[in-house]
Amino acid sequence: MSHSAELLAMPQPDAGHIEITPSVLYVGTPVALITSLNADGTTNISPMSSAWTLFDRVVLGMTSTSKGRENAVRDPQIVINFPSPDLWPKVEAIARGTGRNPVPPHKEKIGYRFEPEKFEVSGFTPQESTVVRPLRIAECPIQFEAEVVACHDPGGDWPRERPEAFQIIETRVLRVHAHRSVVVPGTSHIDTAKWQPLLYVFRHYFGTGSDLGRTFKAEA
């Protein structure tokens, strides 16, 4: 008998699991604010939470209709800014905003609006970068200046009922900035007792404790 057959034959403990079909799969990832360069030289801010890191690479998932993706493909320099939990109201202040004009129909349908002045609307402070052109966000304790090194389309069959596709954008981190308050003095180490990322959990904002609030797209 094969190993898989043995497992099927064994009595399975009831762990209380049920099958569900959630509309999103954001089990809990840090919020990132991607700053990118618009065609006119101004800086766009794109809130997102589909990011993961490996060595000096940060891989981002961005919808094909987003201004941030358009900018990153056209001018492959970005800053990945990581906000702390107390900044969630500023993040949510631009959550409905898009730099695309006209607003893509599927975004307009759920309440997005054209917003070219995201620094002004959010209250974030622009900060000059050192090796890339897009501005950093001064309030974010950790900032990665990065370059785009590859863009990939999603594999498999993308559902036809979804009007937007996405691209997987691979970036290389060129420079890391961290506020001195979250750095172990005299080192290049982040003090994990002092740094807390803003987390995005099934469309709710969390720090490391209670629910801080919800994005406008939250269903419950």
Side-chain angles (χ1 to χ4, degrees):
M1 181 181 293
S2 68
H3 181 63
S4 59
E6 289 177 353
L7 288 176
L8 290 173
M10 292 173 58
Q12 298 296 310
D14 181 6
H17 292 83
I18 60 173
E19 291 188 10
I20 64 173
T21 54
S23 60
V24 295
L25 301 176
Y26 300 114
V27 295
T29 50
V31 172
L33 299 173
I34 310 302
T35 48
S36 59
L37 210 63
N38 294 318
D40 63 2
T42 59
T43 295
N44 180 66
I45 305 175
S46 300
M48 54 92 74
S49 65
S50 300
W52 61 274
T53 60
L54 185 65
F55 299 106
D56 67 342
R57 304 302 168 94
V58 180
V59 179
L60 310 172
M62 304 184 78
T63 57
S64 298
T65 56
S66 72
K67 188 66 172 179
R69 184 214 63 86
E70 176 188 309
N71 288 347
V73 171
R74 185 192 68 255
D75 193 326
Q77 295 187 345
I78 64 171
V79 183
I80 307 166
N81 304 269
F82 294 97
S84 50
D86 60 299
L87 296 176
W88 82 265
K90 292 181 179 291
V91 176
E92 184 61 16
I94 55 175
R96 291 180 185 268
T98 175
R100 291 289 298 271
N101 188 23
V103 178
H106 67 277
K107 286 190 172 183
E108 186 175 35
K109 184 178 180 180
I110 60 174
Y112 278 82
R113 59 180 179 269
F114 174 56
E115 182 50 71
E117 302 294 341
K118 293 184 181 179
F119 275 105
E120 181 177 336
V121 169
S122 64
F124 282 128
T125 306
Q127 183 180 27
E128 290 291 332
S129 296
T130 58
V131 295
V132 300
R133 289 185 293 279
L135 298 169
R136 293 180 282 154
I137 298 174
E139 288 81 1
C140 291
I142 298 178
Q143 310 155 335
F144 295 168
E145 295 187 42
E147 63 177 347
V148 175
V149 295
C151 296
H152 311 274
D153 291 326
D157 296 325
W158 183 248
R160 290 186 177 182
E161 65 270 18
R162 296 295 299 269
E164 77 279 21
F166 66 91
Q167 280 195 313
I168 300 163
I169 298 177
E170 181 183 348
T171 70
R172 178 190 292 118
V173 176
L174 304 174
R175 188 151 301 176
V176 176
H177 304 269
H179 194 275
R180 58 174 55 89
S181 65
V182 299
V183 177
V184 177
T187 76
S188 286
H189 298 296
I190 298 296
D191 188 336
T192 55
K194 296 180 179 179
W195 160 242
Q196 296 182 25
L198 175 61
L199 302 176
Y200 195 58
V201 184
F202 289 104
R203 288 181 172 161
H204 287 247
Y205 297 111
F206 281 85
T208 56
S210 60
D211 193 337
L212 296 171
R214 64 182 64 181
T215 181
F216 76 96
K217 293 187 289 185
E219 297 175 345

